């Protein structure tokens, strides 16, 4: 039997690069963009009025630089590996991906998977809200959390569930792509303060939910909104730690009184079994809805 040619290892029968090489191109482009936006871009504006205004407005330039790097890397990679393809459609941000219903449902899902189990833990005393120094206005702290978390969540979604998920899905299917990108998502948090095996498993489960939202809705926008809701409920509503990071909590903060495996402890509610279970329920809900939608499409024709 003749051995496969180098061309077969690199390209699919349709002439497109195979998924591992597509991801490699994305990784190399991202590294170059990160240097351009980070080391170069931030260095150029350091000490300028722009940097001073950003600090005054609590706009984290480093997070915006990271987001800019991921956006540019995504656009360039799609142009190089799939010329003629809409970059935004290829990563789940094309026309129709901002439909109000799916974005609102995703926001509600992200809100509920944290707020409901945390509320129940408050009721039963596993966590407690305690007073904290009001050394900042609540609205200023909330704005600062939003400007930090919104670009960070979008960058993580583009990195894990944008182009990379699309490329891996074409190679091994949607389920494999969701699992693979969720493992990467969990690994990205390995260097957060207080990271443990349990907390990384919990983040991976969050990735399963977000990846399922991306695949079921076809919308990275919906996954981003759900991701942002999960973070904002913890950091802004409950003033809880977020992935091991303590953000400003003027007036009150959430503290664990029960076992860390249940409450998440110093990692925050998303690291505990209560929230993880809620995320699994939400993931099941999305997959069940997709199965119902697909079955209905077969029996009743296309669903608008």
């Amino acid at each position: 039997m003749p051995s496969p040619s180098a061309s077969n290892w690199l390209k699919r029968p349709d002439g497109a690069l195979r998924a591992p090489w597509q991801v490699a191109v994305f990784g190399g482009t991202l590294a170059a963009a990160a240097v351009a936006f980070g080391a170069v871009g931030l260095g150029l504006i350091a000490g300028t009025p722009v940097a001073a205004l950003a600090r005054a407005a609590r706009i984290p330039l480093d997070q915006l630089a990271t987001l800019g790097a991921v956006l540019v890397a995504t656009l360039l990679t799609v142009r190089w590996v799939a010329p003629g393809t809409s970059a935004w459609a290829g990563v789940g941000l094309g026309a129709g991906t901002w439909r109000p219903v799916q974005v609102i449902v995703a926001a509600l899902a992200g809100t509920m998977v944290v707020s409901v189990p945390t509320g129940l833990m408050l009721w039963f005393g596993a966590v407690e809200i305690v007073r904290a120094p009001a050394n900042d206005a609540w609205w200023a702290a909330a704005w600062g959390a939003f400007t930090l978390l919104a670009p960070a969540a979008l960058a993580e979604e583009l990195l894990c569930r944008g182009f990379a998920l699309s490329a891996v899905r074409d190679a091994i299917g949607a389920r494999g792509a969701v699992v693979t990108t969720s493992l990467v998502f969990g690994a990205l948090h390995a260097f957060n303060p207080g990271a443990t095996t349990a907390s990384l498993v919990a983040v991976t489960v969050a990735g399963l939910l977000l990846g399922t939202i991306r695949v079921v809705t076809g919308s990275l926008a919906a996954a981003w909104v759900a991701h942002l809701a999960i973070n904002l409920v913890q950091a802004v509503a409950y003033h809880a730690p977020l992935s091991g990071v303590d953000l400003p909590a003027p007036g009150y903060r959430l503290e664990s009184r029960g076992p860390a495996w249940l409450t998440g402890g110093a990692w925050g509610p998303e690291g505990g079994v209560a929230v993880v279970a809620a995320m699994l329920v939400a993931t099941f809900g999305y997959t069940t809805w997709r199965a119902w939608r697909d079955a209905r499409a077969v029996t009743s024709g296309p669903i608008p």
Side-chain angles (χ1 to χ4, degrees), residues 192-195 241-246 266-268 270:
N192 281 40
L242 178 62
S243 298
V245 178
D246 289 313
W267 185 263
E270 65 179 340

Side-chain angles (χ1 to χ4, degrees), residues 17 27 29 71 97 111 129 159 164 178 217 251 273 288-289:
L17 284 175
T29 307
L71 281 168
T97 59
T111 300
I129 291 178
L159 180 62
V178 169
T217 65
V273 167
T288 301
W289 173 70

Side-chain angles (χ1 to χ4, degrees), residues 51-238:
L53 285 172
R55 284 193 299 271
R58 302 192 181 203
I59 297 175
L61 291 177
D62 56 339
Q63 291 295 336
L64 292 181
T66 299
L67 175 57
V70 180
L71 281 168
V72 168
T74 297
L75 293 171
L76 291 178
T77 302
V78 173
R79 173 166 292 188
W80 289 335
V81 305
T85 302
S86 167
W88 300 128
V91 300
L93 288 173
T97 59
W98 288 91
R99 289 195 296 270
V101 170
Q102 67 186 18
V103 171
I104 291 171
V105 170
L108 288 173
T111 300
M112 298 298 284
V113 296
V114 176
S115 61
V116 171
T118 304
L120 288 173
M121 288 190 291
L122 275 169
W123 179 268
F124 289 105
V127 295
E128 182 182 4
I129 291 178
V130 301
R131 290 185 178 275
N135 49 15
D136 199 1
W138 70 266
W139 59 267
W143 169 251
F146 178 81
T147 59
L148 173 69
L149 298 175
L154 182 54
E156 288 182 349
E157 290 307 306
L158 280 165
L159 180 62
C160 295
R161 285 168 282 275
F163 174 79
L165 187 145
S166 296
V168 177
R169 179 180 57 188
D170 290 344
I172 62 175
R175 290 182 181 177
V178 169
V179 171
T180 301
T181 55
S182 297
L183 291 171
V184 173
F185 183 62
L188 288 176
H189 294 76
F191 298 101
N192 281 40
T196 65
T197 300
S199 68
L200 297 184
V201 169
V203 175
T204 301
V205 172
L208 292 176
L209 170 59
L210 298 171
T212 300
I213 292 174
R214 160 77 161 89
V215 168
V216 169
T217 65
S219 171
L220 189 71
W224 171 51
V225 169
H227 188 161
L228 183 58
I230 290 170
N231 289 350
L232 289 178
V233 169
Q234 292 179 92
V236 175
Y238 283 114

